[in-house]
Amino acid sequence: SYLFCSTKLGVDSSYNKLGYYKEAFSSDELRVKRLFEAAQERKLPLMQVKSHLNLAVLVDLASRRDTVGVVLVDNRILMGVSQTVGGNDGGADTVSCAESNGIGGYNGGSLLEGNGFSDSTTSSFLPDGGSDIDKSRSIVSAVSTASINSSYAGHYVILCGVSRDQKHLREARNRLPDDGDDESNYCMVLKNPGIWKETEYVTPARFEKSWRANGTDEDVVFISNHRD
């Protein structure tokens, strides 16, 4: 089963100012509207979040043995890419070679407020992590030399779970220069199709900032494989 959650069940017209969406905004707007209309007619599981989906809810669901989340993030923030080469909405930033295309979106109602963390140390979806990585190599291989006139770069990652393993926490805090300031006792476990590394460990602060960035509508699809 699955559930699509977002702050907007539709298209945010302000995104036509983001270079990432600008070139094909008109055609994408019509396409996305039709898709949402079709989904609602078929009564597919969509949930509109009025304010923000609490990060604790995301962590709780991703910690379960049978659940993962497909999350739309701003890859510039996730990968710490800040160098710009010009542009009309904040700069043309280098973006992921696995960037998503088109408009996603959704606006409004509160969801599962008050859920706490799972007691599990690491989700069962957590694969065997790789060895220590060269952080600069990870970032360079995660972005392409292609540029777009945008201050946003949409990208989908799979949230496999959370980890409280000390080795994974160290890796998350050492991933980018300012990640060491996050003193959370857990980190997010990601499958990122835009990088060479099999598994990424990311601080909650870094993950949340990239997920809540302007342009994402905080989209997330929860997928659960129920077992009898």
Side-chain angles (χ1 to χ4, degrees):
S1 61
Y2 66 93
L3 174 65
F4 174 54
C5 299
S6 178
T7 59
K8 238 177 225 68
L9 286 177
V11 176
D12 188 331
S13 59
S14 69
Y15 290 171
N16 67 356
K17 297 177 182 177
L18 290 176
Y20 181 80
Y21 293 122
K22 198 169 191 176
E23 185 175 344
F25 185 86
S26 296
S27 59
D28 280 346
E29 182 177 24
L30 293 174
R31 176 179 58 83
V32 171
K33 284 181 177 178
R34 284 196 296 265
L35 287 171
F36 273 115
E37 288 169 359
Q40 290 166 342
E41 287 173 3
R42 296 175 61 184
K43 302 187 184 305
L44 299 182
L46 311 177
M47 182 169 286
Q48 194 171 18
V49 184
K50 282 187 176 176
S51 180
H52 296 288
L53 179 62
N54 196 304
L55 181 65
V57 175
L58 205 66
V59 169
D60 177 70
L61 292 174
S63 296
R64 299 181 185 186
R65 300 179 66 85
D66 59 357
T67 304
V68 296
V70 181
V71 185
L72 178 60
V73 298
D74 183 341
N75 205 42
R76 295 169 56 261
I77 296 174
L78 183 67
M79 302 309 300
V81 176
S82 59
Q83 184 177 4
T84 62
V85 294
N88 56 19
D89 71 333
D93 295 270
T94 305
V95 298
S96 166
C97 11
E99 69 188 23
S100 62
N101 291 310
I103 304 168
Y106 225 130
N107 211 351
S110 103
L111 171 71
L112 306 177
E113 294 292 333
N115 278 3
F117 295 115
S118 166
D119 290 332
S120 61
T121 300
T122 307
S123 165
S124 65
F125 277 92
L126 174 65
D128 293 333
S131 58
D132 291 339
I133 62 171
D134 180 324
K135 290 183 289 298
S136 62
R137 179 186 169 196
S138 176
I139 292 174
V140 168
S141 61
V143 296
S144 71
T145 55
S147 294
I148 55 174
N149 289 328
S150 182
S151 56
Y152 164 77
H155 181 60
Y156 286 98
V157 296
I158 301 175
L159 175 60
C160 304
V162 300
S163 176
R164 294 181 175 83
D165 183 282
Q166 290 301 309
K167 178 182 176 182
H168 299 161
L169 289 175
R170 286 194 297 273
E171 187 169 323
R173 291 167 183 164
N174 291 331
R175 184 172 166 273
L176 291 168
D178 55 347
D179 286 345
D181 297 333
D182 191 329
E183 298 181 353
S184 302
N185 66 352
Y186 69 95
C187 61
M188 318 301 278
V189 182
L190 305 182
K191 287 283 193 180
N192 186 344
I195 68 170
W196 63 272
K197 192 165 186 283
E198 180 180 351
T199 305
E200 266 213 294
Y201 303 101
V202 178
T203 62
R206 171 74 55 183
F207 173 84
E208 184 171 19
K209 185 177 180 182
S210 65
W211 172 45
R212 299 200 193 280
N214 182 42
T216 68
D217 292 328
E218 301 179 21
D219 287 358
V220 56
V221 182
F222 295 107
I223 303 172
S224 181
N225 180 22
H226 295 295
R227 297 181 176 89
D228 295 331

